[in-house]
Amino acid sequence: MCEAKGDTLTVKEMREILKIGTNSAYNLLHSKAFPVIKIGQSYRIPKESFYAWMENPSAVKN
């Protein structure tokens, strides 16, 4: 399934939403709290899962 433009966030956008630094953002990406898409050296975060995680971060199972 191909995602439409705007269905994902960049790391920079995620940082701005959460008001966190670069290191914290990448730590969060690697924590598997929500799905992350890696394209080459870039990461994209599906908005739907990111915002679901923001609504209920304790629901994440590691």
Side-chain angles (χ1 to χ4, degrees):
M1 180 174 165
C2 183
E3 292 189 355
K5 183 178 180 184
D7 285 347
T8 61
L9 298 168
T10 64
V11 174
K12 181 180 178 185
E13 291 168 331
M14 181 187 75
R15 286 180 44 229
E16 291 170 356
I17 291 166
L18 296 175
K19 296 177 179 32
I20 60 176
T22 303
N23 288 341
S24 294
Y26 282 99
N27 287 338
L28 184 56
L29 287 179
H30 296 297
S31 74
K32 301 185 191 309
F34 42 81
V36 175
I37 302 164
K38 186 173 182 187
I39 304 167
Q41 297 296 313
S42 299
Y43 291 92
R44 295 292 181 270
I45 302 101
K47 282 183 179 180
E48 187 175 326
S49 8
F50 175 75
Y51 287 116
W53 168 81
M54 282 187 60
E55 293 279 326
N56 193 6
S58 63
V60 175
K61 296 189 168 117
N62 290 329

